[in-house]
Amino acid sequence: MNDTDLLNGRRFIMISSTAGPVDADAPTEFVYEESGGVIWGHYTGDTVVDGRFVGTREADRVELSYVHLLKTGERASGRSTSRIEAAEDGRLRLVEEFQFEGNDVTHVSVCAEVVS
């Protein structure tokens, strides 16, 4: 997957996470922007009031740093590495391994592309 700006303008929703349950009625939604392999964007939903991320993409690998404000008023940050997969219907899927800052536990989440 070396398409230029592959993730630009794409939206994804979280469908599973080992960090905790995902609210299927209000999953966290991620909006990606990409230019020349530089990635940035934002997310909200489920337990997150507002989140931001920035990073890079090389082929099917995305590396990000993120920070967000939780509905509890707490802040969380960390790093993630995602693998981009193509579904049979042409939509993309992100399989992400992530760690929260100050915690050595690696979590895994799966996000599916939302097509308007």
Side-chain angles (χ1 to χ4, degrees), residues 10-99:
R10 294 188 191 242
R11 296 181 309 128
F12 296 83
I13 57 169
M14 184 176 290
I15 57 174
S16 69
S17 175
T18 61
V22 174
D23 182 349
D25 294 328
T28 302
E29 182 175 330
F30 301 82
V31 178
Y32 278 74
E33 303 297 334
E34 180 178 8
S35 179
V38 176
I39 302 282
W40 69 96
H42 63 277
Y43 54 101
T44 188
D46 203 4
T47 60
V48 176
V49 174
D50 189 33
R52 306 292 170 163
F53 57 86
V54 64
T56 58
R57 179 180 68 86
E58 186 173 318
D60 68 345
R61 182 181 172 98
V62 177
E63 294 191 16
L64 299 173
S65 295
Y66 62 86
V67 63
H68 57 251
L69 176 65
L70 295 164
K71 291 182 179 177
T72 62
E74 297 175 289
R75 291 180 307 269
S77 62
R79 293 175 175 257
S80 69
T81 301
S82 297
R83 182 179 69 251
I84 303 169
E85 298 178 347
E88 288 183 20
D89 63 5
R91 293 183 303 150
L92 298 181
R93 195 170 97 139
L94 302 175
V95 179
E96 175 184 68
E97 292 186 356
F98 64 98
Q99 287 183 319

